[in-house]
């Protein structure tokens, strides 16, 4: 009886969308970077895809029937964006959207943004803050093949009352209505908030140890959560098997988050030598989000909808973030690719690659950050981030050589996610 139940469960877990259940697909790759860690580019290979996974990689161009011709393309594992917000996009009306759009409205917006994201080559994303019901519903609808989009690792947000992560700039009655129940004050309350976030379906915990650029308050970018609160968040999350990503700009808040043991620091604008030492001692990742810095610096000069409290912060951070990544990378800090898309437009995630090259990474290192390094950061290195037998058939291709010109990654020629084509080679 037990055996039968287990077998039934296993086959239920293996159920895949119809597209992936068809017979083998043969992808003819002119140039193939199967394992970005090695950096080895092979020529004239066939990737055999069956049941949503890579079943073999063969020499030469073999196979008949479902053949994808990428003989003149550069083929890689699908990209991972470790920092997006899929259910909204910043713009003139977005502050109002937060209090006027229902969870259903936001989920439908997310359907549109998810499709743009996966068609841009990002087959996995970490959503670090969206409306909870909306993002969990979208995550599950994509996972069961009902909606086209990237694999989503969805965060629950646990942050300080009145800090970044809370809502600002409305009258009190509105704030009381919309304030998330996973905001907290004090260590015990923050442990409660983490537990509630996990109960609500969070795959990962997002916290904010410092102020944020886009929160409509002049509270600055320094530390907002106490050391004790951060420790409580990390300990509680880890006990429940969840990683913690900490939004942090100011040096004090970056270092407090690292001391508390967060798994990643998002942004890291004002990192100092002590931060770099802590990153390495703790094995934490930096997720640089240069595209967000770039976008808000631009908007600070051109967008009349930007609140003054936001504008002042936005002017400063863009250029600082590029320099922070340069120092972190030179110092040997582990980097995972992340854009904070929603600040920039969904589907333009690949613009981050060129900004990372500006910060001194090689094009190959930027691809590593978006594949193998990010896969390890999210704990899915056995499934995604490289192409090999048994790995997910998350496969992208571009026509030009991205190792020569990284901006080639901004124009996708082909995208497959879990064996299903989401951007065909002849589109
Ligand atoms: Zn963000």
């Amino acid at each position: 009886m037990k055996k039968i139940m287990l077998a039934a469960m296993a086959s239920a877990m293996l159920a895949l969308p119809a597209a992936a259940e068809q017979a083998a697909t043969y992808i003819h790759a002119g140039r193939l970077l199967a394992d970005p860690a090695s950096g080895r580019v092979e020529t004239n290979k066939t990737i055999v895809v069956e049941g949503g996974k890579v079943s073999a990689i063969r020499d030469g161009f073999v196979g008949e029937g479902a053949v994808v011709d990428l003989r003149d393309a550069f083929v890689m594992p699908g990209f991972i964006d470790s920092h997006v917000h899929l259910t909204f996009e910043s713009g003139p009306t977005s502050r109002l959207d937060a209090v006027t759009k229902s969870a259903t409205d936001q989920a439908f917006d997310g359907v549109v943004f998810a499709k743009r994201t996966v068609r841009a080559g990002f087959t996995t994303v970490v959503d670090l803050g969206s409306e909870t019901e909306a993002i969990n519903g979208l995550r599950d609808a994509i996972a069961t093949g009902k909606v086209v989009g990237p694999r989503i690792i969805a965060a629950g947000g646990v942050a300080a009352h009145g800090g970044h992560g809370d809502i600002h700039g409305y009258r009190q009655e509105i704030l009381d209505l919309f304030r998330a129940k996973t905001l907290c004050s004090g260590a015990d309350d923050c442990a409660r908030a983490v537990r509630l976030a996990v109960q609500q379906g969070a795959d990962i915990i997002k916290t904010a140890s410092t102020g944020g650029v886009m929160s409509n308050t002049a509270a600055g970018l320094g530390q907002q959560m106490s050391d004790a609160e951060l420790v409580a968040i990390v300990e509680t999350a880890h006990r429940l098997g969840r990683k913690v990503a900490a939004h942090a700009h100011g040096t004090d808040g970056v270092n407090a988050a690292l001391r508390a043991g967060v798994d990643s620091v998002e942004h890291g604008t004002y990192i100092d030598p002590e931060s770099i030492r802590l990153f390495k001692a703790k094995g934490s990742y930096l997720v640089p989000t240069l595209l967000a810095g770039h976008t808000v610096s631009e908007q600070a000069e051109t967008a009349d909808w930007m609140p003054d409290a936001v504008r002042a912060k936005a002017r400063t951070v863009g250029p600082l973030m590029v320099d922070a990544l340069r120092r972190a990378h030179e110092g040997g800090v582990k980097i995972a690719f992340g854009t904070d898309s929603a600040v920039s437009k969904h589907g333009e995630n690949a613009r981050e690659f060129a900004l990372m090259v500006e910060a001194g990474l090689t094009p190959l290192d930027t691809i590593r950050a978006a594949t193998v390094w990010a896969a390890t950061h999210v704990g899915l290195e056995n499934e995604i981030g490289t192409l090999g037998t048994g790995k997910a058939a998350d496969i992208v291709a571009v026509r030009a050589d991205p190792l020569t010109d990284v901006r080639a990654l901004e124009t996708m020629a082909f995208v497959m996610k879990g064996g299903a084509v989401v951007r065909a080679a002849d589109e």
Side-chain angles (χ1 to χ4, degrees):
M1 178 64 182
K2 199 174 171 196
K3 229 176 198 170
I4 293 165
M5 275 176 64
L6 283 173
M9 278 169 63
S11 63
M13 286 192 293
L14 289 171
L16 285 159
E21 279 172 0
Q22 293 163 2
T25 301
Y26 301 90
I27 298 174
H28 292 174
R31 284 156 293 159
L32 174 62
L33 178 64
D35 177 8
S38 77
R40 195 155 61 96
V41 180
E42 300 169 288
T43 53
N44 300 350
K45 291 280 186 177
T46 299
I47 307 168
V48 186
V49 174
E50 287 177 280
K53 294 183 188 256
V54 175
S55 60
I57 297 179
R58 301 226 180 96
D59 291 332
F61 300 132
V62 302
E64 276 175 17
V67 171
V68 178
D69 183 0
L70 297 172
R71 294 177 191 209
D72 68 343
F74 189 104
V75 180
M76 296 158 279
F79 300 138
I80 301 155
D81 190 328
S82 306
H83 190 143
V84 302
H85 304 272
L86 270 187
T87 65
F88 60 95
E89 201 168 77
S90 139
T93 63
S94 54
R95 285 195 59 244
L96 270 182
D97 291 349
V99 292
T100 55
K101 288 195 171 184
S102 69
T104 310
D105 293 333
Q106 295 181 58
F108 279 116
D109 287 348
V111 169
V112 175
F113 297 141
K115 189 170 183 185
R116 284 181 196 161
T117 301
V118 74
R119 282 172 52 82
F122 291 82
T123 48
T124 301
V125 301
V126 186
D127 189 290
L128 286 185
S130 281
E131 207 284 333
T132 304
E133 263 182 52
I135 194 64
N136 289 350
L138 183 61
R139 170 193 63 195
D140 299 345
I142 291 171
T144 49
K146 295 174 195 135
V147 167
V148 174
R151 183 179 292 99
I152 296 174
I153 298 156
V158 175
H161 286 123
H164 184 62
D166 204 345
I167 61 170
H168 302 271
Y170 303 98
R171 52 183 289 171
Q172 190 63 45
E173 294 87 335
I174 306 283
L175 298 179
D176 291 343
L177 264 178
F178 284 91
R179 170 164 285 155
K181 293 189 172 51
T182 53
L183 294 172
C184 60
S185 293
D188 286 351
D189 193 37
C190 289
R192 172 205 59 81
V194 170
R195 290 174 180 143
L196 177 60
V198 171
Q199 186 186 49
Q200 290 175 346
D203 302 313
I204 179 173
I205 298 299
K206 161 80 175 294
T207 190
S209 66
T210 76
V213 176
M214 298 304 277
S215 45
N216 187 16
T217 161
L221 296 173
Q223 184 171 349
Q224 290 185 340
M225 303 202 80
S226 72
D227 292 5
E229 287 171 335
L230 290 166
V231 168
I233 288 169
V234 172
E235 283 184 359
T236 309
H238 285 176
R239 281 191 193 117
L240 295 172
R242 302 300 193 276
K243 294 190 184 229
V244 178
H247 156 111
H249 289 285
T251 314
D252 51 359
V254 169
N255 293 354
L258 288 168
R259 278 195 303 271
V262 298
D263 300 281
S264 67
V265 165
E266 312 294 314
H267 319 306
T269 309
Y270 293 92
I271 57 167
D272 72 353
E274 172 64 2
S275 321
I276 292 173
R277 191 192 69 75
L278 283 165
F279 267 112
K280 292 197 285 187
K282 300 282 188 173
S284 309
Y285 282 79
L286 173 66
V287 180
T289 71
L290 304 182
L291 184 54
H294 180 82
T295 305
V296 297
S297 301
E298 246 173 31
Q299 287 173 346
E301 308 309 326
T302 57
D304 52 11
W305 50 266
M306 190 176 265
D308 290 340
V310 175
R311 193 184 305 275
K313 290 177 282 184
R315 279 206 169 105
T316 6
V317 298
L320 291 175
M321 287 165 96
V322 175
D323 184 56
L325 173 56
R326 176 177 290 109
R327 287 183 286 118
H329 184 57
E330 284 172 5
V333 173
K334 295 194 280 187
I335 311 291
F337 183 104
T339 59
D340 211 354
S341 287
V343 175
S344 55
K345 289 196 180 335
H346 294 288
E348 296 187 0
N349 315 53
R351 293 174 65 202
E352 179 84 12
F353 288 107
L355 294 168
M356 293 174 89
V357 168
E358 250 178 62
L361 277 75
T362 63
L364 178 59
D365 274 346
T366 67
I367 293 170
R368 287 171 170 150
T371 55
V372 275
W373 296 348
T376 309
H377 160 52
V378 299
L380 292 178
E381 66 274 17
N382 293 328
E383 293 166 53
I384 57 174
T386 57
L387 293 174
T389 304
K391 294 288 174 77
D394 291 1
I395 301 168
V396 301
V398 294
R399 297 288 173 196
D401 183 354
L403 302 180
T404 315
D405 176 11
V406 83
R407 297 202 58 183
L409 300 172
E410 294 173 22
T411 311
M412 271 298 136
F414 172 80
V415 181
M416 172 180 272
K417 186 211 141 200
V421 175
V422 293
R423 179 185 284 279
D426 50 10
E427 265 184 62

